Amino acid sequence: MHILNAGSHTIDLATPCVMGIVNVTADSFFDGGRLDVDAAIDHARRMLDDGARIIDVGGESTRPGARAVDAEEELRRVLPVVAALARDGACVSIDTMKPAVMRAALDSGAAIINDVRALQAPGALDVAAASNAAVCLMHMQGEPATMQHAPAYRDAVTEVRTFLARRAAACVDAGIGRDRIVIDPGFGFGKTVAHNVELLRGLDAFAALGYAVLVGLSRKSMLGAIAGRDVDERLAASVAAALAAAVRGARILRVHDVAATVDALAVWNAIEPWPAVQMREQAQQ
Ligand code: 9MG
């Protein structure tokens, strides 16, 4: 799958691209309790200048133990940022689990719905199907508040892959074209470090489903566990993980550190014999 159709955007995935993360949550872009929309927009514009192809805007943290926010508060945080970036012509993704937020963000110009619940909430699939937006379907075991308590799988790659194949099929049945569907194993969402490593090692099996694969590993705790680094010291580990995912077929890399990831991909792209990679992938499908 080398093209992603997302609203009015056609994203060429012949080589991997970068999605920059903009979290408009209580621990970022809040100034003395007041939302600093301009700072969030400036941050996103810098990421675009650094080479991000997509900006993912979220207003509710999905980190374990994070406080849930209602739709009204989430909309207050994300809509001005989505609207400003869409007006600039950027490809904007809305990171939300709530159908009401999806719909409002699409109306404000978002072109991708990034849902960590894979459009399972009542009404979410209908919102996506009624639009021409792309969808990112992520796997999560359990709920954000408790998902890291005791995650368990018999075979993580098979179970996560089967779930994503079913959710993608539900989207196709609802009328969403395969060229609008992205799948994501959901690193860190109800997974131990060993599960995450297993999934990263087995990423080719996800790419073989024929949908674009998105991977989000940036600064995550599994990298802290592997590298022995605190969250603000995980740049090198994040870039290494993004590159490892790209090598195994990921086409969208969701990251905080856009410039460093874009540079790493540029070096790899200059070396990699792409036609050979694409022929290998087509042979697997
Ligand atoms: C919102 N969010 C946080 N981590 C994520 C990941 O790994 N993938 C996607 N699609 N969204 C994520």
Side-chain angles (χ1 to χ4, degrees), residues 9-33:
H9 300 267
T10 300
I11 301 179
D12 181 2
L13 298 179
T15 56
C17 72
V18 167
M19 168 190 266
I21 302 169
V22 177
N23 287 322
V24 197
T25 51
D27 48 7
S28 52
F29 302 116
F30 268 75
D31 175 15

Side-chain angles (χ1 to χ4, degrees), residues 49-260:
D49 287 345
D50 286 340
R53 181 67 184 85
I54 305 165
I55 299 293
D56 191 37
V57 181
E60 179 177 41
S61 175
T62 46
R63 274 208 291 266
R67 191 179 70 81
V69 296
D70 61 27
E72 202 183 324
E73 171 64 14
E74 197 177 330
L75 285 168
R76 193 179 72 81
R77 295 177 181 187
V78 297
L79 280 194
V81 182
V82 169
L85 297 175
R87 265 197 309 274
D88 287 352
C91 181
V92 182
S93 161
I94 177 69
D95 155 22
T96 187
M97 309 180 246
K98 299 189 186 78
V101 177
M102 293 172 191
R103 189 177 297 112
L106 295 175
D107 289 345
S108 295
I112 302 178
I113 299 170
N114 174 27
D115 183 5
V116 300
R117 291 187 196 276
L119 302 179
Q120 293 180 99
L125 187 53
D126 297 333
V127 171
S131 75
N132 59 359
V135 296
C136 178
L137 309 169
M138 201 199 78
H139 174 273
M140 168 167 60
Q141 186 180 87
E143 292 295 313
T146 53
M147 65 191 176
Q148 290 307 107
H149 287 182
Y153 300 83
R154 255 176 294 114
D155 173 346
V157 172
T158 304
E159 288 171 47
V160 174
R161 186 178 185 269
T162 302
F163 169 84
L164 292 174
R166 288 200 182 125
R167 292 309 300 155
C171 286
V172 171
D173 288 349
I176 301 172
R178 295 173 72 90
D179 59 346
R180 287 169 51 203
I181 298 174
V182 178
I183 57 171
D184 177 351
F187 289 96
F189 284 80
K191 282 123 190 151
T192 63
V193 173
H195 295 140
N196 288 318
V197 170
E198 210 181 309
L199 289 165
L200 184 52
R201 198 178 285 132
L203 205 64
D204 320 51
F206 294 88
L209 286 173
Y211 301 101
V213 174
L214 182 150
V215 159
L217 287 155
S218 184
R219 300 185 190 173
K220 284 194 176 165
S221 61
M222 73 173 272
L223 302 181
I226 293 170
R229 298 276 180 195
D230 287 339
V231 66
D232 50 359
E233 297 172 337
R234 294 179 192 158
L235 172 61
S238 298
V239 173
L243 213 49
V247 169
R248 287 165 178 77
R251 288 302 157 89
I252 305 175
L253 303 159
R254 183 179 183 276
V255 306
H256 300 87
D257 304 291
V258 170

